């Protein structure tokens, strides 16, 4: 069976279809979903989606509202929370972010990279003790070209992925977001050489962010960690110390990822 045939077979398998339904619901910015809406997104018949939703509902993975719409179920959320707490990446990130906030005095974050979507999402944050601070949006897919975390990832993805992102739309988040592809490419080259990205108001007006890439067991970029603070509190004289703290935190998470993979392969 060729690759295309194998892909078609997977799409026909009920388990694969059910996972596709859950993925569509998770990736959506909506809380409620209709049968026809999901059918259109997945390019399958409404009767197929209705049957899959009934199976998922029986397992508690989705729930139906009185209006007939569907949302993620409590059993799905329980599984997601339990699995997340056991992930080596989550465990290492929590410890590293707390250490980074203690060292820098600023809000620390970790953002995960989606190879399929070519976007990133903040999944963990540790708030600064300062009363004036930025709260980052978590569990929201964001573009790679806007903000230090995205740039730190984009600088280290494979060249073909980087080229595809730079050749695509580069919508601005603020009036400082880089939208010129040649300029952005040169900047990514510099980030790759320095190992850290610094931005001023490129994702959020008035915010400064410093981020470094986090790598997985095979040297692939899996996300970025760093700090964010109000521009009014940023002192360029502290930049070197902040960059060093951010690099150390990213390296700590990366080392934990590699160590966990080695333990798993020899266990």
């Amino acid at each position: 069976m060729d690759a295309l045939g194998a892909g078609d077979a997977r799409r026909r398998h009920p388990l694969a279809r059910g996972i596709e339904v859950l993925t569509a619901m998770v990736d959506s910015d909506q809380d409620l979903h209709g049968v026809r809406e999901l059918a259109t997104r997945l390019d399958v018949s409404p009767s197929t989606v209705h049957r899959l939703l009934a199976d998922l509902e029986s397992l508690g993975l989705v729930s139906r509202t009185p209006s007939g719409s569907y949302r993620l179920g409590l059993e799905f959320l329980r599984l997601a929370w339990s699995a997340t707490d056991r992930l080596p990446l989550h465990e290492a990130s929590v410890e590293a972010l707390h250490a980074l906030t203690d060292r820098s005095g600023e809000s620390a974050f970790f953002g995960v990279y989606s190879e399929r979507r070519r976007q990133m999402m903040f999944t963990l944050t540790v708030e600064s003790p300062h009363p004036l601070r930025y709260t980052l949006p978590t569990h929201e897919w964001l573009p790679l070209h806007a903000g230090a975390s995205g740039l730190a990832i984009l600088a280290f993805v494979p060249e073909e992925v980087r080229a595809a992102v730079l050749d695509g739309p580069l919508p601005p988040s603020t009036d400082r977001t880089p939208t010129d592809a040649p300029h952005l490419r040169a900047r990514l080259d510099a980030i790759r050489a320095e190992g850290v990205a610094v931005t001023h108001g490129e994702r959020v007006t008035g915010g400064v962010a410093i981020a470094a890439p986090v790598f997985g067991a095979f040297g692939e970029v899996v996300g970025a960690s760093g700090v964010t603070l109000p521009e009014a509190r940023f002192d360029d004289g502290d930049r070197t110390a902040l960059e060093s703290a951010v690099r150390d935190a990213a390296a700590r998470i990366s080392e934990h990822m590699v160590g966990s993979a080695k333990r798993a392969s020899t266990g």
Side-chain angles (χ1 to χ4, degrees):
M1 181 181 294
D2 60 21
L4 181 58
D8 289 343
R10 284 194 296 271
R11 284 185 58 82
R12 288 194 296 270
H13 196 285
L15 176 59
R17 284 279 179 85
I19 292 173
E20 287 180 343
V21 170
L22 291 172
T23 300
M25 296 174 75
V26 171
D27 285 346
S28 172
D29 57 3
Q30 301 172 206
D31 182 43
L32 300 177
H33 304 271
V35 171
R36 292 190 178 278
E37 169 231 328
L38 289 170
T40 299
R41 292 181 61 183
L42 298 174
D43 193 25
V44 296
S45 69
S47 61
T48 296
V49 170
H50 189 272
R51 183 172 63 254
L52 291 169
L53 287 169
D55 291 340
L56 293 170
E57 184 181 12
S58 69
L59 297 171
L61 297 176
V62 303
S63 62
R64 183 167 48 180
T65 68
S67 66
S69 298
Y70 289 84
R71 68 190 341 153
L72 292 170
L74 292 179
E75 180 61 14
F76 175 86
L77 297 177
R78 184 190 70 79
L79 291 172
W81 288 329
S82 298
T84 297
D85 287 341
R86 295 175 186 175
L87 286 175
L89 185 57
H90 181 276
E91 176 187 344
S93 298
V94 168
E95 296 175 358
L97 294 190
H98 278 287
L100 181 54
T101 291
D102 290 343
R103 181 173 170 182
S104 67
E106 303 298 345
S107 295
F109 60 78
F110 174 78
V112 66
Y113 168 57
S114 169
E115 185 178 20
R116 181 177 66 85
R117 299 180 65 99
R118 293 175 180 172
Q119 293 178 304
M120 57 84 56
M121 172 194 292
F122 294 113
T123 56
L124 289 170
T125 60
V126 174
E127 297 291 340
S128 164
H130 291 286
L132 179 61
R133 58 182 181 264
Y134 281 108
T135 300
L136 294 169
T138 56
H139 304 104
E140 175 184 333
W141 289 112
L142 300 167
L144 296 177
H145 71 285
S149 50
L151 293 178
I153 294 169
L154 187 57
F156 289 90
V157 296
E159 171 55 32
E160 61 271 20
V161 176
R162 186 161 47 251
V165 172
L166 294 179
D167 288 343
L170 300 171
S173 297
T174 72
D175 58 5
R176 292 186 181 180
T177 304
T179 58
D180 177 73
H183 169 76
L184 192 50
R185 178 173 286 280
R187 189 170 174 195
L188 292 172
D189 290 341
I191 292 171
R192 204 156 48 247
E194 297 169 3
V196 65
V198 182
T199 58
H200 292 255
E202 295 179 22
R203 191 192 300 279
V204 178
T205 300
V208 172
I210 302 173
V214 171
F215 298 99
F218 302 102
E220 76 283 13
V221 62
V222 297
S225 64
V227 296
T228 182
L229 64 153
E231 204 164 18
R233 193 163 63 240
F234 179 73
D235 184 340
D236 200 56
D238 298 330
R239 175 169 171 163
T240 299
L242 287 172
E243 289 181 355
S244 178
V246 166
R247 286 193 191 94
D248 289 349
R252 180 177 176 182
I253 299 172
S254 299
E255 289 168 4
H256 192 95
M257 288 289 292
V258 174
S260 294
K262 288 182 178 178
R263 287 192 294 272
S265 65
T266 59

